[in-house]
């Protein structure tokens, strides 16, 4: 999806000073990582600048470090150029598959699957006990985002375990890019790797707010990852992304987000938006939320906020199953959140 995504501040003449449009939390302390990468550019301490050397053709060293931290074999970890490369690699590896996608969700799953000849259908709910937890007989791959983008909802782990066990013919691709932004119980990489039919997607881009570096990885059954690696382009992950991953892994993958504070602020933001009266705010299990305007278009609100207040939101009308009234926001600082609420109130009064 080249157009219609979040973080599209380049479209606006006025500088964006508060960005709610991306699900990346924009204010972690990355000073140590940034200084380390600056040293790698300069080649300090007699070390050659990373700019002057090729990275590993496949990021073996980083995969081994991540595997060590997650108690996996290195063969169960595949580092990618962001979670997006992981999505397209999986779709390519299993091209032509009969695929279902739990909607509404991130459009790249469908885009990647269509590109690689999948026969794609949409689900709007998962089978429950009433349906014996059985997916449609012809489905061989199921994509779901957990926590889900754009709703912020988390699918119960026990429910997923039952679905996986009752549908062994289906490969479950579970995108956990936002796993560090919820208190709900999710699969660990080691738990999921025990299943022969589960792939987990992870995003260091989201966790550490480094979208410019593009760094993600897949974990899962070794047999599945052997197949996926046959389609991975050499040098797809650049030297600075690898170095950032190694720096973070060497420090035990420290958490840059104060999650309790972030979720508390999210609850406050939801309450203030609901008090405006013209917004329906969906329940969320994480730091971002889906909002429906009871009147007016999300695209008009987005333009107003960007041009008049330097505030950017995500028009969510292009998610399958949603319409022109929906937008998505991710919690930022209390000061920025206050600016957003006041600006939306001003728009509603005009």
């Amino acid at each position: 999806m080249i157009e219609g995504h979040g973080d599209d501040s380049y479209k606006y003449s006025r500088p964006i000073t508060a960005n709610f449009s991306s699900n990346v939390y924009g204010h972690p302390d990355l000073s140590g990582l940034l200084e380390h990468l600056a040293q790698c550019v300069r080649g300090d301490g007699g070390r050659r600048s990373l700019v002057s050397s090729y990275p590993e053709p496949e990021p073996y060293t980083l995969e081994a470090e991540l595997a060590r931290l997650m108690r996996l074999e290195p063969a169960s970890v595949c580092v990618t150029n962001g979670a997006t490369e992981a999505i397209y690699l999986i779709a390519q590896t299993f091209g032509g598959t009969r695929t279902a996608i739990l909607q509404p969700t991130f459009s790249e799953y469908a885009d990647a699957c269509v590109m690689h000849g999948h026969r794609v259908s949409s689900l709007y709910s998962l089978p429950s006990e009433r349906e014996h937890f059985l997916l449609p007989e012809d489905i061989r791959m199921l994509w779901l985002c957990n926590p889900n983008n754009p709703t912020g909802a988390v699918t119960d782990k026990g429910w997923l375990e039952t679905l996986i066990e009752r549908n062994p013919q289906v490969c479950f691709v579970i995108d956990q890019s936002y796993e560090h932004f919820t208190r709900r119980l999710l699969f660990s990489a080691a738990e999921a790797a025990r299943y022969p039919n589960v792939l987990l997607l992870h995003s260091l881009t989201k966790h550490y707010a480094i979208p410019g570096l593009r760094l993600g990885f897949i974990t899962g059954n070794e047999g599945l990852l052997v197949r996926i690696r046959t389609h991975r382009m050499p040098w797809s992950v650049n030297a600075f992304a690898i170095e950032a991953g190694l720096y973070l892994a060497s420090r035990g993958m420290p958490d840059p987000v104060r999650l309790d504070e972030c979720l508390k602020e999210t609850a406050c933001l939801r309450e203030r938006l609901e008090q405006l009266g013209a917004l329906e705010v969906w329940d969320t299990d994480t730091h971002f939320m889906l909002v429906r305007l009871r009147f007016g278009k999300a695209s008009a609100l987005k333009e107003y906020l960007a041009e008049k207040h330097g505030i950017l939101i995500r028009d969510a009308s292009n998610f399958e199953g949603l319409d022109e009234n929906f937008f998505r926001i991710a919690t930022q600082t209390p000061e920025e959140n206050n600016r957003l609420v006041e600006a939306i109130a001003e728009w509603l009064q005009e």
Side-chain angles (χ1 to χ4, degrees):
M1 179 177 56
I2 303 301
E3 294 293 334
H5 54 78
D7 205 15
D8 53 352
S9 58
Y10 55 84
K11 293 181 177 180
Y12 299 97
S13 57
R14 175 171 179 153
I16 298 299
T17 55
N19 187 355
F20 293 83
S21 72
S22 167
N23 289 340
V24 173
Y25 178 72
H27 303 283
D29 180 7
L30 299 178
S31 55
L33 173 62
L34 296 178
E35 176 56 31
H36 176 71
L37 292 179
Q39 292 172 4
C40 292
V41 173
R42 295 192 299 264
D44 288 356
R47 180 180 179 178
R48 189 179 184 185
S49 169
L50 285 185
V51 175
S52 304
S53 301
Y54 278 94
E56 295 172 344
E58 295 188 6
Y60 314 107
T61 304
L62 178 54
E63 288 173 349
E65 279 299 292
L66 291 173
R68 179 184 62 81
L69 289 171
M70 293 182 292
R71 296 180 174 85
L72 295 171
E73 292 298 318
S76 287
V77 181
C78 179
V79 171
T80 56
N81 185 356
T84 299
E85 186 194 17
I87 292 165
Y88 280 81
L89 275 176
I90 293 168
Q92 180 182 7
T93 301
F94 301 97
T97 300
R98 188 71 173 90
T99 292
I101 301 172
L102 185 63
Q103 300 283 5
T105 197
F106 189 40
S107 66
E108 294 294 348
Y109 311 142
D111 290 350
C113 288
V114 169
M115 178 182 289
H116 293 289
H118 290 232
R119 290 160 291 167
V120 180
S121 60
S122 295
L123 297 178
Y124 290 90
S125 62
L126 294 172
S128 63
E129 185 175 5
R130 178 179 297 178
E131 294 85 32
H132 307 290
F133 299 102
L134 296 177
L135 288 160
E137 290 185 2
D138 59 340
I139 297 301
R140 293 296 177 267
M141 178 168 281
L142 175 69
W143 297 73
L144 62 96
C145 190
N146 203 38
N148 184 44
N149 173 24
T151 65
V154 170
T155 301
D156 179 73
K157 181 183 175 184
W159 191 1
L160 284 178
E161 289 172 334
T162 303
L163 288 172
I164 291 164
E165 291 162 4
R166 295 284 183 90
N167 297 272
Q169 78 284 3
V170 176
C171 179
F172 288 76
V173 184
I174 305 173
D175 186 348
Q176 292 193 174
S177 289
Y178 303 104
E179 60 196 323
H180 299 287
F181 295 94
T182 185
R183 289 296 183 203
R184 293 285 303 278
L185 194 60
L186 304 173
F187 282 117
S188 71
E191 288 172 332
R194 298 190 190 108
Y195 291 102
N197 60 330
V198 175
L199 293 167
L200 291 189
L201 275 56
H202 311 268
S203 176
L204 298 183
T205 293
K206 305 296 191 302
H207 189 192
Y208 292 99
I210 50 173
L213 287 176
R214 313 303 306 137
L215 188 57
F217 59 101
I218 310 167
T219 59
N221 176 271
E222 292 183 21
L224 292 175
L225 289 184
V226 165
R227 295 177 63 183
I228 290 168
R229 282 192 174 90
T230 63
H231 296 281
R232 182 167 59 178
M233 183 180 72
W235 297 294
S236 69
V237 185
N238 73 74
F240 292 98
I242 293 172
E243 189 63 32
L246 290 172
Y247 175 90
L248 295 168
S250 70
R251 285 154 179 77
M253 308 303 289
D255 196 336
V257 179
R258 295 174 179 172
L259 184 56
D260 287 338
E261 292 182 15
C262 185
L263 294 179
K264 182 178 179 181
E265 185 60 29
T266 300
C268 291
L269 177 57
R270 289 187 69 240
E271 182 178 0
R272 291 194 63 196
L273 289 171
E274 288 172 340
Q275 288 173 350
L276 294 177
L279 305 176
E280 175 189 332
V281 187
W282 286 27
D283 291 338
T284 181
D285 295 308
T286 184
H287 69 300
F288 57 88
M289 66 196 78
L290 189 63
V291 185
R292 186 180 73 85
L293 290 166
R294 292 195 168 96
F295 60 85
K297 295 182 179 180
S299 58
L301 174 61
K302 177 182 176 181
E303 292 298 316
Y304 176 87
L305 293 175
E307 296 294 356
K308 188 163 184 179
H309 293 277
I311 295 172
L312 191 62
I313 62 172
R314 168 68 153 90
D315 177 358
S317 61
N318 62 341
F319 284 93
E320 182 171 335
L322 303 184
D323 60 28
E324 63 187 12
N325 304 117
F326 284 91
F327 66 93
R328 189 198 67 203
I329 54 174
T331 302
Q332 299 301 323
T333 66
E335 294 75 20
E336 289 172 327
N337 295 339
N338 288 338
R339 282 180 57 198
L340 174 67
V341 174
E342 291 167 3
I344 292 176
E346 182 181 296
W347 179 76
L348 292 171
Q349 292 169 2
E350 288 197 352

